[in-house]
Amino acid sequence: MRQDDLFAEVDEHIGTLFGLDDSVLAATERSLAAAGMPEISVSPVHGRLLQVLALSCNAKRILEIGTLAGYSTICLARALPEDGHITTIEFDPRHADIALENIRSAGLKATVDVRVGGALDILPQLVAEGAGPYDLVFIDADKAPYAEYFEWSLRLGRPGTLIVGDNAVREGRILDRDADDESVRGIQRFNEALASHPGVTGVVVQTVGAKGHDGMALAVVGAG
Ligand code: SAH
Ligand code: DHB
Ligand code: MG
């Protein structure tokens, strides 16, 4: 068996074992293809990982950058207590509309605030509004400005905030020092910022599974 097939099959097994592919998430995943949107949500296993991480840091306020159809939003929101809240930022109004439908189907409309606009416009607005501090920030939008998203996450966080960055390895393309792909360069810059910032303790974990070889960056603020 090819390695990729093996990793995907193990993810299937874990998904079945833990009952991860429930009807709400399955419908959310289907809504992508139906609307001709890119099928780049986190996998069911990574969705559950986000939920576990949010639970482990007792998150009441979560910020997500990059909503798509709301798959990861729903996973994160499921970790919130009754009075918890997640703000999720999405550039494309069409994506935001589909996400809102999925979030409504998940019974999470009152928990989720979808902010439509470019993240580098919305993030300063959140600071100006006095939003936060967020207990967990999930960065998963366009890759080129990931390091800027990290800086805004610090401003909107507090000591103890968990910052999670999706797609931190990109099949190992981050090893290419001469990469001219702005996404790869963005992730390289983000990983370097995470590694060298004195105000956070972080790491990048490689991942395999249904979505191939990639990685999750994890960092805690103020634990340096
Ligand atoms: N977190 C989602 C996947 C997000 S895909 C999940 O796992 O379910 C990335 C999303 O970021 C896309 O919907 C894209 O439209 C959005 N995006 C891209 N550039 C953006 C920007 N500058 N600001 C906000 N959202 C952006
Ligand atoms: C892409 C973006 C993502 O956030 C992801 O998880 C996978 C792929 C992409 O832009 O190709
Ligand atoms: Mg991603």
Side-chain angles (χ1 to χ4, degrees), residues 25-36:
L25 290 178
T28 298
E29 189 58 32
R30 280 198 305 275
S31 73
L32 290 170

Side-chain angles (χ1 to χ4, degrees), residues 21-43:
D21 199 23
D22 60 71
S23 60
V24 168
L25 290 178
T28 298
E29 189 58 32
R30 280 198 305 275
S31 73
L32 290 170
M37 287 156 68
E39 294 179 47
I40 55 175
S41 311
V42 292
S43 67

Side-chain angles (χ1 to χ4, degrees), residues 6-29:
L6 175 62
F7 296 146
E9 198 168 308
V10 171
D11 249 18
E12 282 278 335
H13 166 71
I14 296 167
T16 305
L17 189 62
F18 288 85
L20 301 182
D21 199 23
D22 60 71
S23 60
V24 168
L25 290 178
T28 298
E29 189 58 32

Side-chain angles (χ1 to χ4, degrees), residues 14 58-59 63 98 120 177 179 190 203:
I14 296 167
N58 247 317
L63 174 64
I98 304 271
L120 291 175
R177 298 317 311 171
F190 169 71
V203 77

